[in-house]
Amino acid sequence: MRRSRRAALAACLILAIAATPGAVLAQTVDELYASAVKARQARHFDEAVDLLRRALALKPDNADALVQLGFAELGRNDLAAAHDAFSKALSLAPAYQDASFGLAEIEFRSGNLDAALPLAESVARAQPGNTDAAALVENIRKAMQAAGGEARKASVAAPRAKPRPDPVAGLMEQGRRLRTAGKLPEAEKVYRRALGLAPKNTDILVALGLILGSSQRFDEAGHFFDRALAIKPGLLDARIGKIRLAIWQGDVPGARALVDDVLASSPDNVEALDLDAKVALLEADYTRAGQSFQRVLAIDSRNAEALVGIGDVRRALGDDDAARQAYREALAIEPGSSDIEQRLAVPPPRRWRLDLGTEVSDLTNGLSDWTDSSAGLAYRLSPRTTISGRNRVATRFGRTDVQIEGRIDEAFSPAFSAYALAAATPDADFLARYAIGAGASLQVMAAAKAFGPLSLNIDTRYDNFTNTNVTSVSPWVQGYIFDGRLGLSARWVHAADDIGTRADGYVLRVDLAVTQRFNLFGGYADAPEISDGTLVPTRTVFGGISWDVNDPLTVRASIAHEQRPTFDRSIFGLGLTARF
């Protein structure tokens, strides 16, 4: 056990040098570890176990803390818990001799001398100067001699009297493995069996809350977290679980309030800092997100989740090269992680978008066809800002107008965005001589499994024609159901000219994602259309398809039929979008 003693002595020296009157309780992993070793050496085993479990909550793969936990549990004579701690340490560090020594001690105390002896001898051979291991080997041999030859033979022939396994601990370990493997329904069943044996076990309650939350059964998840808090008010794991629940539900303000409350009492808790950063990402507060992820790395330099988070921050800020570097560092810590590999597989962002479209309209009553074509180019200045320009060429009754439009879109937050545009038509015949417009979109419900997202939107426009001016206002609502596969929108249209003519109408639209790349849309409108400065009542049935040929290319086709007071109009459209 010299390694543990040296680590303990060093930790205690550091703690003694850093200590000042009125110092607060240790919060970092190293401080918790040092305090725990000191408590164990003073035979305050309950205190040592509590401190070590807090340290392991911050860094679960800390083999040193697991070994110390095993010896503290031995001090409490909880052989099953000690066996679990030493076994976990060996799974992380197979050559960790102190853990093997701990298992030898457990076998010795359990009377399994034939199992204890090879373990102790192995440690003694690996560490010739380890007096504790040598003494244990000697004690085991003496016990075997005292038992006599016959007793020894019976011990060899009979099944080893292992410590009686704790059924709850076994079920919890099984549930943890199933949950890690993504088998949530199976894990839930196992945890519920464990809860039947230990209904007040807060670890089980929190685990069930996390599983149900991951399965989007939010009300049930909250119930389990509340049950755990009722048993242990202020339980950190349950409070952190409620933060995750708020994030899963899209309740960013609620998550912010909860995480701030946890950090007020546990400012160096790694999980809380990580969640603080994730909430900041949702708030588009990239400065705070980056700072919190960096604080996590200051505590645990090999925290892959924090490195991934830093990559996400850099990607959100538009620095894809720096984001990939962070992802590669995280992948070196967690080789084979599908989550990290998926981020690295995302192609570099395409800042440019080209939109081409053309429509041909067939008019009744012997009227000549109309055409309307456009070419647009957009550039993403930053993850929040996009500027674009569009050139439109329209022909009607032998006349041609060319309109030029500029637009800027700004995402002020993940939930709120707005745009403004201006257009001009030199020598206009039937299009507006100039136009200005603006609009905004507010997401009032985040995406959930069955419903959402839901957004409220508004478009406004002012068109100046040669003989009149027209103002239009169009508020509309858009929502999705069935995991976002079916979109529904309803738009109200109000238009008025400068001589007092007013017209109102509506547009209804349905969007269906048939596959990941193939989409259908259709709808009906009974709304005024501005034609050559005149408000024309129009009824329209429309539909179309879009197909993502590959990541950068989308093609579209549409058809519509209009009924106007003087003629009917059938419209056939084609378009494509290319990203580069």
Side-chain angles (χ1 to χ4, degrees):
M1 295 176 58
R2 290 185 174 182
R3 176 178 173 181
S4 298
R5 289 175 175 173
R6 288 196 296 270
L9 179 60
C12 290
L13 287 173
I14 294 170
L15 186 64
I17 293 170
T20 58
V24 298
L25 279 175
Q27 294 292 338
T28 68
V29 173
D30 290 341
E31 290 171 336
L32 288 166
Y33 178 84
S35 298
V37 172
K38 186 176 180 180
R40 186 179 72 81
Q41 291 172 340
R43 302 189 66 78
H44 299 154
F45 299 121
D46 290 340
E47 179 185 353
V49 167
D50 179 66
L51 290 167
L52 287 163
R53 290 196 182 282
R54 288 168 57 192
L56 288 166
L58 297 175
K59 191 175 182 181
D61 60 350
N62 189 322
D64 292 327
L66 284 166
V67 168
Q68 287 296 324
L69 177 62
F71 287 121
E73 295 288 14
L74 272 177
R76 299 200 303 183
N77 204 33
D78 190 340
L79 301 187
H83 190 281
D84 182 61
F86 290 132
S87 297
K88 287 181 180 177
L90 285 171
S91 70
L92 295 168
Y96 205 148
Q97 297 301 322
D98 285 356
S100 296
F101 177 87
L103 290 177
E105 183 71 30
I106 291 171
E107 298 291 359
F108 177 57
R109 294 191 189 186
S110 302
N112 302 323
L113 303 180
D114 291 306
L117 183 59
L119 284 169
E121 287 177 336
S122 174
V123 176
R125 285 194 300 270
Q127 298 178 344
N130 188 331
T131 57
D132 290 327
L136 181 58
V137 169
E138 184 65 23
N139 289 336
I140 294 170
R141 287 174 177 168
K142 287 180 179 179
M144 294 175 76
Q145 289 173 359
E150 292 301 322
R152 182 177 179 184
K153 290 178 183 179
S155 175
V156 171
R160 294 174 182 173
K162 296 283 187 182
R164 179 177 295 178
D166 180 356
V168 173
L171 288 170
M172 290 186 67
E173 177 61 21
Q174 182 185 358
R176 184 194 65 78
R177 289 196 301 267
L178 289 168
R179 182 180 164 214
T180 302
K183 299 178 180 179
L184 299 185
E186 294 88 343
E188 180 187 347
K189 290 178 182 178
V190 171
Y191 277 122
R192 287 189 182 275
R193 285 170 55 198
L195 189 64
L197 297 172
K200 291 189 177 182
N201 187 311
T202 55
D203 290 338
I204 302 173
L205 291 168
V206 170
L208 276 168
L210 292 171
I211 287 174
L212 294 170
S214 299
S215 304
Q216 299 194 0
R217 292 155 63 185
F218 301 129
D219 291 340
E220 291 181 79
H223 172 69
F224 280 109
F225 291 137
D226 290 338
R227 279 180 61 182
L229 288 168
I231 296 169
K232 289 186 180 180
L235 180 64
L236 189 59
D237 287 347
R239 293 165 68 194
I240 287 175
K242 298 199 77 167
I243 298 171
R244 295 187 185 279
L245 188 59
I247 293 174
W248 290 332
Q249 291 177 289
D251 182 8
V252 177
R256 167 54 60 207
L258 289 168
V259 77
D260 286 346
D261 183 57
V262 169
L263 287 173
S265 58
S266 304
D268 293 320
N269 182 277
V270 169
E271 272 194 279
L273 286 169
D274 181 72
L275 290 173
D276 174 71
K278 289 177 178 176
V279 173
L281 269 175
L282 293 172
E283 296 169 327
D285 187 348
Y286 302 124
T287 300
R288 176 166 182 165
Q291 290 172 345
S292 292
F293 283 131
Q294 290 291 356
R295 287 180 63 189
V296 172
L297 289 175
I299 297 170
D300 179 7
S301 60
R302 290 181 59 80
N303 191 300
E305 194 169 3
L307 284 168
V308 170
I310 287 173
D312 291 344
V313 171
R314 292 171 177 172
R315 180 163 280 178
L317 292 171
D319 192 347
D320 192 68
D321 291 337
R324 291 177 183 279
Q325 178 60 33
Y327 296 146
R328 283 191 286 269
E329 291 176 17
L331 193 62
I333 297 172
E334 291 188 0
S337 168
S338 60
D339 183 50
I340 302 172
E341 289 175 346
Q342 286 173 7
R343 282 173 164 81
L344 284 169
V346 174
R350 296 178 171 87
R351 295 183 178 274
W352 293 92
R353 188 185 75 242
L354 174 66
D355 293 289
L356 301 175
T358 185
E359 292 181 349
V360 177
S361 299
D362 178 40
L363 278 57
T364 61
N365 297 337
L367 300 175
S368 60
D369 294 345
W370 291 357
T371 63
D372 201 331
S373 301
S374 65
L377 188 63
Y379 178 72
R380 188 162 62 94
L381 286 172
S382 72
R384 292 186 176 188
T385 307
T386 300
I387 58 173
S388 59
R390 188 174 74 124
N391 186 52
R392 177 186 178 191
V393 179
T395 62
R396 296 184 183 178
F397 306 126
R399 298 174 296 170
T400 300
D401 277 353
V402 178
Q403 188 177 73
I404 301 170
E405 178 185 293
R407 171 171 168 151
I408 182 168
D409 291 76
E410 181 75 15
F412 295 96
S413 75
F416 179 70
S417 61
Y419 73 88
L421 64 83
T425 310
D427 301 321
D429 288 316
F430 50 88
L431 295 181
R433 293 185 297 178
Y434 67 87
I436 55 174
S441 176
L442 175 65
Q443 186 182 98
V444 295
M445 179 188 294
K449 189 167 185 178
F451 302 99
L454 177 68
S455 61
L456 303 178
N457 314 273
I458 189 168
D459 296 308
T460 61
R461 187 179 176 103
Y462 174 81
D463 290 278
N464 174 267
F465 293 90
T466 55
N467 56 352
T468 188
N469 302 317
V470 178
T471 301
S472 58
V473 179
S474 181
W476 54 292
V477 60
Q478 184 176 45
Y480 290 85
I481 58 176
F482 303 134
D483 200 18
R485 295 179 64 87
L486 181 63
L488 306 169
S489 67
R491 178 190 295 265
W492 178 64
V493 180
H494 171 77
D497 61 21
D498 58 356
I499 59 174
T501 305
R502 298 175 181 272
D504 295 287
Y506 62 88
V507 181
L508 303 175
R509 173 169 168 149
V510 177
D511 290 82
L512 176 63
V514 181
T515 68
Q516 188 175 2
R517 293 182 176 274
F518 188 73
N519 300 274
L520 299 175
F521 70 88
Y524 176 77
D526 187 352
E529 180 172 320
I530 304 171
S531 181
D532 202 6
T534 302
L535 300 178
V536 180
T538 306
R539 294 180 179 178
T540 308
V541 177
F542 59 91
I545 61 172
S546 68
W547 176 37
D548 296 327
V549 179
N550 49 40
D551 184 59
L553 181 63
T554 300
V555 296
R556 301 178 301 277
S558 62
I559 186 171
H561 181 73
E562 292 182 354
Q563 291 181 333
R564 299 185 174 207
T566 55
F567 59 85
D568 290 351
R569 176 187 176 200
S570 296
I571 309 164
F572 306 92
L574 292 173
L576 67 83
T577 296
R579 306 164 191 86
F580 54 95

